[in-house]
């Protein structure tokens, strides 16, 4: 009793009396009253079902027979005849429109079981699908209780003599079911209940003295006695899944709960129990204060007719009383339409309507919070399925209460339960004190486990670990599998690095492929350059290339050899070192070797090895590789002191220049050679670039006279001005250069490169060059000119004579007839026959030969090719006469401008040639004139 008194009491139900509908005038309806004589009832399928009994003493009510009544929600009471004398038991299935009743049609102990199908009709009444007597064997006895399985395959009937009859099969038909005695005993059966768990079916049987469990899913129906005390009629029930479908037995001292194989918990609810029901997680008990034995209660209800009865609604999970009220002579308690209906002996029905969840919680929480009964408030909220926001608020208030009391460990547990609803900063601010850091750590851990942490929370949690120096927790946190990571990895790496936990930070960076952070920590903090280089070698090509550009200088400074080797691989045929090699591998990628040259700053030896490797392996390497290698070799050559090594370096540099890789960067290579005073390289590049004057000037600057002469001899044919420049050079020398001047003058004379006057003027600047130096040159020159003059005069005389002869021939053609004496055709050389064609040039043709071979009727086929050449020359001269730009260019570039002017003057550039001919008198005259012109041109051609 003490335990019972400690349970909190609440009013979670509203009580009212069921009333009829309001009248037309709007007046409230009067209380609804059932017909007298109602003794049994049940509910389900939207109806309250009642059965009445013929009163003892032989007096009937006004109706002649005993009906079964149906009360729907509209309160329109209906009935049908079920039995002639009385209805003793009703069982309405919840999942089927099947009603099972037990009653009597005649005096004596003759109980009949009837199965009604409420969806089918027979003359307006429900269809009775089955009738059979309820007698265990041949012994008539009173039916004490009835239960039916919802699958319609089992029905159990308990009797006052302690027997239980089990019907197995389709209970709605006689043909498909089998009835047998399941249990026999000495004590009246007071309660039956089926329990279905998966495919296993149990039947609980309770008498006034014991409780047993039968397994109906197994052959022979094995049974187990669960307890040696029982209960009265209607004092047992089966709970719902919230209490694991336990069988509830209410004794006068305690309420016991049973599993099919054992007894469960018990509750000390004292008082004589009259009715027990289970409703939506609540245990409904109707009891009275005065004690009577269960046996006297089994006899009947006559002893209860005037006692006040208490109805209590218990919440067994949360251990409180949800409702308590006093009623007069309760017949039964029914559950339908979401409410409880209490039927009293006076025919009234009292409705207990459960309040909505929010109202119940508001009513109880205020009281519970005042008394700090937060656990009960939480359990209550959970059992009523309060939403997560409401639960979170209770947890927060509970946490605040514990925090204010100084119970920080308990408070943090409540705050943890608010994660996802309560702003984390609300909790974090409370536990920032160093003494509460372990509580804060627990909260942040849970926050991360639920994937609700942000970068700041990760930072804070890792700082907590480092402050607590809890390496095991720290490792457990960061070494979760990749699919379970619930924190920002980059933030974690930063915090661990800042706190000095480099190994943990490196582990995270490597595991989650944060390559930049891994390398940064290895190189800047741990200084493990070998490991960093190994890691880069495992990365994909793009990542490896990027990180070598970023950290290459640091690595080259500390591990130059290994870094150089990795760069060689990266720029030739890169494959990550972690990948398996095989024939099926993809072709490796190649980086641009030129981009890695800055990495070798202050490491010239490694740079040279790298560049030489690249030029050997990849002849098509970028131009910058060859440029840098040339510069590097020139630097080494310039600074080398050992003559043998210097000669070798000289050869390597020159060989590189001659490789043909510097054609597109000629100027750059030339500058490099000049900067390092690499004489052979400069001269080679001058020669390749056809810069012959620069070659000569180079030798002039070094006063290498023989070399100057050699350059002129080698390249003078390609650039004649070299000899003139050489003459000017030697002329300016105050030294005795007669030998070289003579050699130059000899070549100028042979090639006629300069006028004599210009030669004299040039040598006039040299004080050491006397007349004897150029005596031979001048004499030879004058002799040549004299001979040339004689030849020109002879040629002029010849042209004059030829001109006179041609003019005479022209006059003869004009004045005297031309006799054609040719006897053979000039084309086929056959004897000439008429018709024939004759030309003034002396050629004759057969007419058919002429027509076959001639392209024009007015031209001789034989002379036509030569005539055309002459005409083409004339036209070319006419065109060239107008090419003033060409004349100006030649005049500017030529060393002998007089010769250019004379040449153009001779072509007639400075005068316009005008030909005046007689107008043609006719076709004959035109033909003669054309022939004369051709003859004139041909003669002029032959003379030249």
């Amino acid at each position: 009793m003490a335990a019972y008194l400690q349970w909190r009491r609440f009013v979670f139900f509203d009580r009212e009396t069921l009333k009829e509908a309001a009248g037309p005038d709007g007046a409230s309806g009067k209380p609804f009253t059932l017909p007298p004589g109602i003794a049994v009832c049940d509910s389900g399928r939207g109806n309250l079902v009642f059965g009445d009994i013929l009163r003892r003493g032989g007096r009937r009510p006004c109706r002649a027979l005993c009906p079964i009544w149906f009360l729907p929600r509209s309160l329109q009471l209906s009935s049908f005849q079920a039995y002639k004398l009385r209805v003793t038991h009703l069982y309405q299935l919840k999942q089927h429109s099947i009603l099972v009743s037990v009653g009597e049609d005649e005096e004596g102990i003759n109980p009949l079981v009837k199965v009604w199908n409420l969806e089918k009709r027979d003359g307006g009444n429900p269809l009775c699908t089955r009738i059979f007597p309820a007698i265990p064997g041949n012994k008539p006895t009173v039916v004490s209780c009835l239960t039916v399985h919802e699958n319609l395959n089992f029905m159990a009937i308990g009797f006052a003599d302690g027997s239980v009859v089990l019907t197995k099969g389709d209970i709605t038909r006689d043909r498909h079911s089998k009835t047998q005695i399941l249990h026999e005993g000495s004590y009246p059966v007071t309660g039956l209940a089926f329990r279905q768990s998966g495919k296993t079916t149990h039947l609980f049987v309770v008498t006034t003295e014991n409780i047993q469990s039968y397994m109906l899913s197994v052959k022979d129906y094995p049974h187990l006695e669960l307890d040696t005390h029982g209960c009265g009629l209607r004092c047992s029930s089966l709970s719902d899944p919230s209490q694991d479908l336990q069988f509830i037995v209410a004794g006068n001292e305690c309420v016991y709960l049973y599993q099919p194989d054992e007894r469960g918990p018990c509750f000390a609810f004292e008082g004589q129990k009259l009715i027990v029901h289970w409703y939506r997680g609540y245990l409904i008990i109707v009891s009275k204060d005065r004690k009577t034995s269960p046996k006297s209660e089994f006899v009947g209800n006559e002893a209860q007719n005037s006692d006040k009865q208490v109805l209590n609604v218990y919440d067994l999970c949360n251990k409180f009383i949800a409702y308590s009220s006093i009623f007069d002579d309760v017949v039964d308690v029914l559950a339908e339409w979401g409410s409880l209906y209490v039927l009293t002996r006076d025919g009234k029905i009292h409705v207990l309507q459960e309040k909505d969840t929010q109202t119940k919680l508001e009513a109880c929480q205020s009281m519970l919070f005042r008394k700090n009964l937060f656990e009960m408030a939480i359990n209550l909220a959970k059992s009523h399925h309060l939403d997560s926001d409401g639960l979170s608020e209770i947890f927060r208030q509970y946490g605040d209460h514990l925090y204010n009391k100084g119970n920080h460990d308990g408070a943090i547990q409540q705050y943890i339960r608010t994660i996802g609803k309560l702003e984390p900063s609300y909790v974090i601010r409370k536990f920032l004190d160093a003494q509460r850091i372990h509580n804060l750590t627990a909260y942040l851990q849970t926050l991360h486990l639920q994937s609700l942490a942000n970068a700041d929370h990760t930072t804070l949690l890792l700082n907590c670990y480092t402050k607590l120096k809890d390496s095991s927790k720290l490792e457990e946190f960061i070494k979760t599998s990749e699919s379970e990571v619930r924190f920002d990895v980059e933030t974690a790496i930063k915090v661990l690095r800042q706190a000095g936990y480099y190994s943990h930070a490196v582990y995270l960076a490597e595991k989650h492929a944060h390559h930049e952070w891994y390398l940064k920590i290895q190189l800047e903090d741990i200084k493990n350059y070998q490991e960093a280089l190994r890691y880069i070698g495992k990365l994909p090509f793009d990542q490896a290339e990027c990180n070598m550009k970023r950290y290459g200088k640091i690595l080259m400074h500390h591990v130059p050899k290994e870094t150089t080797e990795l760069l060689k691989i990266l720029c030739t045929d890169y494959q990550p070192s972690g990948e398996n090699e095989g024939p099926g591998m993809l072709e490796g990628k190649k980086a641009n070797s030129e981009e890695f040259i800055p990495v070798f700053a202050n490491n010239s030896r490694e740079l040279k090895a790298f560049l030489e490797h690249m030029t050997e392996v990849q002849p098509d390497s970028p131009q910058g590789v060859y440029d840098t290698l040339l510069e590097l070799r020139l630097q080494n050559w310039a600074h080398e002191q050992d003559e043998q090594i210097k000669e070798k370096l000289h050869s390597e540099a020159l060989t590189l220049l001659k490789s043909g890789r510097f054609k597109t960067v000629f100027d750059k290579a030339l500058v490099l050679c000049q900067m390092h005073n690499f004489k052979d390289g400069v001269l080679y590049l001058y020669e390749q670039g056809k810069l012959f004057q620069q070659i000569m000037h180079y030798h002039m600057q070094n006063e290498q006279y023989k070399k100057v002469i050699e350059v002129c001899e080698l390249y003078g044919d390609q650039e004649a001005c070299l000899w003139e420049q050489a003459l000017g050079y030697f002329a300016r020398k105050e030294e005795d250069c007669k030998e070289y001047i003579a050699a130059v003058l000899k070549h100028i004379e042979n090639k006629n490169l300069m006028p004599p006057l210009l030669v004299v003027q040039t040598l006039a600047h040299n004080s050491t060059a006397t007349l004897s130096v150029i005596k031979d040159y001048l004499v030879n020159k004058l002799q040549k000119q004299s001979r040339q003059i004689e030849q020109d005069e002879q040629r002029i005389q010849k042209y004059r004579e030829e001109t006179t002869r041609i003019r005479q021939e022209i006059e003869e053609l004009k004045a005297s007839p031309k006799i054609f004496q040719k006897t053979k055709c000039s084309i086929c050389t056959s004897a000439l026959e008429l018709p024939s064609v004759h030309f003034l040039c002396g050629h004759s043709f057969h007419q058919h030969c002429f027509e076959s071979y001639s392209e024009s009727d007015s031209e001789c086929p034989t002379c036509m090719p030569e005539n055309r050449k002459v005409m083409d020359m004339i036209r070319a001269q006419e065109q060239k006469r107008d090419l003033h730009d060409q004349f100006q260019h030649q005049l500017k570039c030529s060393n002998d401008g007089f010769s250019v002017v004379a040449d153009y003057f001779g072509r007639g550039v400075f005068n316009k040639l005008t030909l005046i001919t007689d107008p043609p008198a006719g076709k004959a005259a035109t033909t003669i004139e054309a022939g004369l012109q051709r003859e004139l041109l041909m003669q002029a051609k032959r003379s030249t």
Side-chain angles (χ1 to χ4, degrees):
M1 190 64 180
Y4 166 72
L5 292 175
Q6 291 179 359
W7 283 31
R8 300 288 171 180
R9 292 178 177 269
F10 301 101
V11 182
F12 285 173
F13 289 82
D14 293 324
R15 173 180 172 177
E16 62 181 6
T17 303
L18 187 65
K19 296 182 179 181
E20 296 178 356
D25 56 355
S28 61
K30 62 180 181 178
F32 180 84
T33 304
L34 289 171
I38 299 298
V40 293
C41 52
D42 201 358
S43 62
R45 309 298 292 179
N47 288 287
L48 302 182
V49 186
F50 307 103
D52 66 5
I53 301 174
L54 178 65
R55 295 183 182 276
R56 283 183 167 82
R59 293 185 299 163
R60 293 178 180 271
C62 59
R63 55 196 180 280
L65 299 173
C66 294
I68 292 178
W69 302 84
F70 293 96
L71 182 65
R73 199 163 192 176
S74 62
L75 304 183
Q76 300 296 322
L77 195 63
S78 62
S79 66
F80 72 93
Q81 178 184 345
Y83 296 92
K84 296 179 180 179
L85 293 181
R86 62 180 63 86
V87 180
T88 60
H89 297 82
L90 292 174
Y91 192 96
Q92 173 66 57
L93 277 78
K94 303 299 185 287
Q95 300 177 14
H96 304 275
S97 295
I98 300 295
L99 174 66
V100 180
S101 62
V102 179
E104 298 175 2
D105 283 336
E106 56 186 25
E107 293 292 345
I109 304 176
N110 297 301
L112 290 177
V113 178
K114 295 185 179 182
V115 181
W116 308 89
N117 188 334
L118 303 181
E119 292 181 345
K120 297 182 179 180
R121 293 289 168 176
D122 181 14
N125 296 328
L127 176 64
C128 182
T129 62
R130 184 180 181 187
I131 302 175
F132 63 93
I135 299 176
N138 297 321
K139 299 181 295 181
T141 182
V142 176
V143 175
S144 58
C145 53
L146 168 70
T147 186
V148 182
H149 199 293
E150 287 293 334
N151 64 11
L152 300 178
N153 285 327
F154 293 103
M155 179 170 61
I157 304 173
F159 296 91
D161 65 353
S163 302
V164 176
V165 174
L166 176 68
T167 300
K168 183 178 181 182
D170 189 352
I171 65 168
T172 62
R173 298 182 181 181
D174 292 321
R175 186 175 301 176
H176 297 91
S177 63
K178 180 181 179 181
T179 301
Q180 66 182 85
I181 299 176
L182 178 68
H183 172 79
E184 289 182 330
S186 304
Y187 306 103
V189 178
T190 57
L192 298 169
F194 287 108
R195 182 184 188 273
Q196 186 72 39
S197 177
K199 296 183 179 180
T200 304
T201 305
H202 288 88
L203 174 64
F204 290 102
V205 178
V206 57
T207 68
T208 55
E209 298 297 335
N210 58 27
I211 303 170
Q212 298 190 51
S213 168
Y214 285 84
M215 183 181 292
L216 304 183
S217 304
V218 180
K219 189 178 179 181
D220 297 333
Y221 306 139
H223 69 281
L224 176 67
E225 186 174 20
L226 301 177
D227 216 332
T228 56
H229 60 79
C231 66
L233 284 172
R234 300 192 297 172
C235 290
S236 63
S237 182
L238 189 71
S239 68
D240 59 18
S242 67
Q243 280 291 335
D244 199 19
L245 297 174
Q246 296 186 90
F247 187 54
I248 302 171
V249 177
N252 289 338
E253 301 298 331
C254 294
V255 173
Y256 300 91
L257 277 66
Y258 296 92
Q259 293 284 358
D261 54 354
E262 62 180 351
R263 192 177 82 174
C266 68
F267 300 90
F269 302 149
E270 295 185 354
Q272 182 181 350
K273 313 301 187 299
L274 304 178
I275 300 173
V276 173
H277 284 293
W278 185 267
Y279 169 73
R280 291 186 177 181
Y282 293 115
L283 177 61
I284 314 297
I285 297 180
V286 178
S287 60
K288 60 182 179 179
D289 291 334
R290 67 184 184 87
K291 299 180 180 179
T292 59
S293 66
K295 296 178 181 178
S296 64
E297 184 174 339
F298 172 78
V299 174
N301 298 324
E302 298 297 331
Q304 308 170 16
N305 25 8
S306 62
D307 293 342
K308 295 289 185 181
Q309 298 169 357
V310 179
L311 184 146
N312 288 320
V313 180
Y314 297 97
D315 188 329
L316 300 184
C317 291
N318 301 311
K319 294 182 172 55
F320 65 82
I321 300 174
Y323 182 76
S324 182
S325 182
I326 298 175
F327 292 87
D328 292 329
D329 203 359
V330 176
V331 175
D332 207 344
V333 180
L334 305 177
E336 192 66 24
W337 309 311
S339 301
L340 287 174
Y341 294 86
V342 182
L343 173 62
T344 56
R345 191 67 62 183
D346 58 4
K348 293 182 180 179
I349 299 177
H350 304 272
V351 183
L352 298 182
Q353 178 66 47
E354 187 177 9
K355 297 179 180 179
D356 62 88
T357 301
Q358 191 61 35
T359 303
K360 289 189 291 184
L361 292 175
E362 290 175 357
C364 72
Q365 284 179 8
S366 59
M367 181 190 75
L368 293 175
F369 290 169
R370 285 197 306 270
K371 296 182 179 182
N372 299 325
L373 298 176
F374 291 97
E375 287 291 348
M376 181 175 289
I378 293 169
N379 293 335
L380 178 64
K382 287 182 177 180
S383 64
H384 286 79
H385 308 291
L386 183 65
D387 60 17
S388 55
D389 292 333
L391 277 172
S392 177
E393 178 61 21
I394 299 175
F395 294 142
R396 182 194 66 79
Q397 294 187 38
Y398 191 13
D400 291 345
H401 168 71
L402 295 175
Y403 181 86
N404 293 330
K405 289 177 62 178
N407 184 1
H408 299 132
D409 293 340
I412 203 66
Q413 294 304 318
Q414 299 307 316
Y415 287 135
I416 286 174
R417 299 166 82 177
T418 67
I419 290 176
K421 298 298 179 181
L422 182 63
E423 177 61 35
S425 60
Y426 177 86
V427 180
I428 293 172
R429 284 196 299 266
K430 291 178 177 290
F431 293 89
L432 287 176
D433 194 306
Q435 296 178 352
R436 304 167 192 167
I437 194 170
H438 64 283
N439 299 124
L440 180 58
T441 303
Y443 179 80
L444 292 171
Q445 282 177 338
T446 309
L447 198 64
H448 282 80
L449 287 174
Q450 298 186 19
S451 302
L452 296 174
N454 57 29
D456 294 333
H457 298 148
T458 302
T459 302
L460 188 56
L461 176 59
L462 292 173
N463 283 327
C464 289
Y465 283 140
T466 56
K467 294 290 184 184
L468 294 172
K469 300 189 182 301
D470 192 347
S471 298
S472 60
K473 284 287 186 181
L474 179 59
E475 290 185 5
E476 181 184 349
F477 177 73
I478 67 173
K479 291 186 178 180
T480 55
S481 64
E482 190 169 350
S483 60
E484 297 176 356
V485 173
R486 298 180 176 91
F487 57 88
D488 184 76
V489 175
E490 186 171 358
T491 301
I493 294 172
K494 291 179 182 178
V495 174
L496 291 171
R497 184 190 183 197
Q498 186 176 3
Y501 284 76
Y502 301 128
S503 61
H504 297 78
V506 164
Y507 171 83
L508 270 183
E510 183 176 11
K511 179 179 178 181
H512 298 282
H514 285 261
H515 310 310
E516 182 179 353
W517 282 107
Y518 181 91
L519 294 172
K520 190 176 292 185
I521 296 170
Q522 287 284 13
L523 296 174
E524 298 177 8
D525 301 320
I526 303 177
K527 310 292 184 182
N528 191 344
Y529 306 103
Q530 291 281 6
E531 182 61 26
L533 196 63
R534 179 198 64 80
Y535 185 81
I536 292 176
K538 292 166 51 179
L539 298 178
F541 172 78
D542 295 335
Q543 293 287 342
E545 181 185 26
C546 176
N547 284 292
M548 282 305 295
K549 290 178 182 178
R550 181 175 301 168
Y551 302 110
K553 290 184 179 180
I554 299 176
L555 293 169
M556 184 62 66
H557 178 71
H558 293 90
V559 281
K561 183 178 179 181
E562 294 81 357
T563 304
T564 303
E565 291 301 318
L566 179 58
L567 286 175
K568 289 179 181 179
I569 298 173
L570 188 64
C571 296
T572 51
D573 187 14
Y574 179 76
Q575 289 285 354
S577 58
E579 295 185 4
N580 296 324
E581 298 183 359
M585 288 185 61
L586 297 175
E587 182 181 355
K589 295 183 178 180
K590 301 176 183 179
N592 186 347
S593 52
E594 184 178 2
E595 297 177 355
F596 293 98
I597 292 176
V599 170
F600 294 89
N602 303 321
N603 293 83
S604 58
R605 183 177 61 184
E606 285 74 18
L607 176 59
K608 181 181 178 183
F610 173 72
L611 296 177
E612 288 177 347
H613 173 79
M614 293 308 303
T615 55
E616 292 174 4
V617 177
Q618 290 184 359
D620 59 342
S621 294
Q623 185 61 44
V625 172
Y626 287 92
D627 296 345
T628 308
L629 181 59
L630 175 63
E631 183 179 2
L632 196 60
R633 287 183 174 179
L634 292 175
Q635 286 179 354
N636 295 339
W637 172 83
H639 294 91
E640 184 56 51
Q641 301 297 326
D642 191 312
E643 290 299 327
Q644 292 183 351
I645 299 177
K646 193 177 185 74
E647 182 62 28
K648 180 181 178 182
L649 295 174
H650 177 278
S651 176
E652 290 177 353
L654 195 59
T655 301
L656 183 61
L657 278 175
K658 292 181 178 180
S659 64
R661 295 292 306 185
F662 298 93
K663 294 180 180 178
T664 57
V665 289
F666 173 84
D667 294 339
K668 186 174 183 179
L670 183 60
V671 169
L672 289 174
C673 292
Q674 290 173 342
M675 285 174 56
H676 296 88
N677 196 25
F678 189 56
K679 171 184 173 182
D680 292 344
V682 172
L683 293 177
Y684 172 77
L685 292 173
Y686 281 160
E687 182 180 356
Q688 293 299 308
K690 296 184 178 181
L691 302 177
F692 307 128
Q693 295 187 36
Q694 280 79 354
I695 296 175
M696 190 172 68
H697 289 163
Y698 181 86
H699 293 307
M700 288 177 179
Q701 290 175 359
N702 293 288
E703 297 185 351
Q704 297 174 335
Y705 302 149
K706 291 184 179 181
K707 291 290 184 180
V708 172
I709 298 299
E710 290 177 3
V711 170
C712 291
E713 290 175 350
L714 288 173
Y715 311 117
D717 294 339
Q718 301 179 49
E719 197 165 345
C721 63
L722 293 177
W723 291 103
E724 300 174 16
Q725 293 178 10
L727 181 64
Y729 169 72
F730 289 122
R732 290 190 297 273
K733 288 292 180 182
E734 296 299 329
E735 303 174 8
D736 187 4
C737 299
K738 294 180 181 180
E739 177 184 355
Y740 303 110
I741 292 175
V744 173
L745 288 176
K746 183 178 179 181
H747 193 84
I748 291 175
E749 178 185 355
N750 293 336
K751 298 293 184 178
N752 194 23
L753 299 177
M754 294 176 64
L757 183 60
L758 186 59
V759 172
V760 173
Q761 290 176 349
T762 301
L763 293 175
H765 299 290
N766 192 322
S767 59
T768 61
T770 60
L771 187 60
S772 61
V773 176
I774 61 171
K775 176 182 176 181
D776 295 338
Y777 167 75
L778 292 175
V779 171
N780 293 335
K781 195 67 177 175
L782 291 173
Q783 289 177 352
K784 284 183 179 181
Q785 289 183 355
S786 298
R787 288 193 295 271
Q788 184 65 38
I789 291 171
E790 291 178 0
Q791 292 175 359
D792 291 344
E793 287 177 350
Q794 292 175 2
R795 191 176 292 111
I796 291 170
Q797 183 63 32
K798 180 180 178 182
Y799 287 159
R800 285 176 178 173
E801 293 175 356
E802 186 70 20
T803 303
T804 302
R805 184 182 61 78
I806 291 173
R807 284 177 178 173
Q808 289 176 356
E809 289 181 2
I810 293 172
E811 289 296 328
E812 289 178 359
L813 290 172
K814 289 181 178 181
S816 59
K818 175 70 174 178
I819 300 172
F820 299 102
Q821 297 179 347
K822 288 280 187 177
T823 59
K824 292 184 178 182
C825 176
S826 300
I827 293 178
C828 67
T829 66
S830 299
L832 199 62
E833 297 176 354
L834 295 175
S836 58
V837 179
H838 303 276
F839 284 89
L840 293 176
C841 61
H843 296 107
S844 299
F845 307 93
H846 291 116
Q847 185 175 359
H848 65 272
C849 291
F850 175 76
E851 291 176 352
S852 299
Y853 289 93
S854 176
E855 296 180 4
S856 174
D857 293 342
S858 60
E859 291 189 71
C860 172
T862 304
C863 298
M864 185 174 61
E866 291 296 328
N867 291 343
R868 285 190 176 179
K869 290 181 181 179
V870 174
M871 294 303 294
D872 290 340
M873 293 173 61
I874 294 174
R875 281 193 294 269
Q877 289 181 354
E878 289 292 333
Q879 292 175 357
K880 290 182 179 178
R881 286 191 304 176
D882 297 329
L883 299 178
H884 301 295
D885 292 339
Q886 183 177 1
F887 167 72
Q888 292 293 339
H889 178 72
Q890 291 184 5
L891 186 64
K892 184 183 295 185
C893 296
S894 176
N895 293 322
D896 188 1
F898 181 80
S899 300
V900 175
V901 173
D903 178 56
Y904 274 83
F905 186 82
R907 295 181 192 175
V909 171
F910 302 107
N911 61 340
K912 185 172 179 65
L913 178 64
T914 304
L915 297 176
I916 302 176
T917 60
D918 294 334
K923 183 174 182 180
T926 302
T927 304
I928 294 174
E929 185 65 25
L932 290 174
Q933 291 181 5
R934 283 195 298 274
E935 286 291 327
L936 180 60
L937 289 171
M938 292 304 301
Q939 291 294 334
K941 179 67 177 175
R942 293 191 202 97
S943 65
T944 57

